Amino acid sequence: RNIGWAAAKADDVVFLDADVSLTEEWRDRFLTKLKHLSQTKIVTGATVFISEEPGFIERNWFFYMDTSSRTYINSANLITNKMVLHAIGGFCDELVTGEDVDFSNRARSAQCEVVLDPAFKVHHEGYPKSLRQFARREMWHGIGDIQSIHSFLNSSVAQIAVLQGLLVTFGIITSFVMR
C-alpha cells in the first residue's frame, strides 16, 4: 500500500483489495465525493460486505460486519488523499494485520476526519468458504491481536481465546491429576 500511494500521480488515493467488487452505490458516492476529497484531511470508505452469493460461513459469521458500527475504515476499501498519508506516514509496515485500525487511529490523532460511509459499498469475494479456510483466516487475523500488549488488551476475541486455552489446559491437567 505504501509503495502504491508513494508512486501515485494524483492527490486522491483509493485502496481496494483485488477480491472486492464495487457496487453502483460505490461509484455514485465516489463521483459525488471526488471534487472535495483532496481539499480536506479525510479518510473514508466502508466495511466490506459479504459476497453477493454468500456461503454458510459468510451468512453465519461475517454477516454481522454488514450491520456493525466500526470506528475504523477497512483497508480493503479505503479512500483518502496524500495530505493525510503524509501527515500520518502511511500504513505501518510492521503490522501483519490490523493495519486499518492503526491507520484510522493515527489519522484521528493527526486531526483527520475518519468517516465510515456505507454508500461506499463493496462486496468481499475473498471470505472463506470452508471451515479450513475459516480457521486459517482467523488464526492469521489473530496475529494482529498479539503483536503488542495494547492490541491484545483491545481485542476481546484474543482475550477470550487465551482464557479458553487456559481453561482447556487446566481441564487436561486436572484430569491427569485426578486419575
Side-chain angles (χ1 to χ4, degrees), residues 42-59:
I42 188 169
V43 177
T44 191
T47 302
V48 294
F49 289 77
I50 59 177
S51 66
E52 293 186 77
E53 295 180 21
F56 175 81
I57 294 171
E58 288 174 286
R59 285 190 312 270

Side-chain angles (χ1 to χ4, degrees), residues 1-8 13 15:
R1 296 185 202 283
N2 287 332
I3 292 169
W5 77 260
V13 182
F15 295 97

Side-chain angles (χ1 to χ4, degrees), residues 29-75:
R29 188 63 164 172
F30 182 71
L31 293 173
T32 302
K33 288 284 191 180
L34 184 59
K35 27 188 153 170
H36 306 291
L37 189 60
S38 60
Q39 299 166 3
T40 59
K41 289 173 68 175
I42 188 169
V43 177
T44 191
T47 302
V48 294
F49 289 77
I50 59 177
S51 66
E52 293 186 77
E53 295 180 21
F56 175 81
I57 294 171
E58 288 174 286
R59 285 190 312 270
N60 292 285
W61 182 261
F62 296 104
F63 177 75
Y64 76 92
M65 289 190 244
D66 288 356
T67 57
S68 67
S69 61
R70 298 248 175 132
T71 59
Y72 68 94
I73 307 298
N74 189 296
S75 62

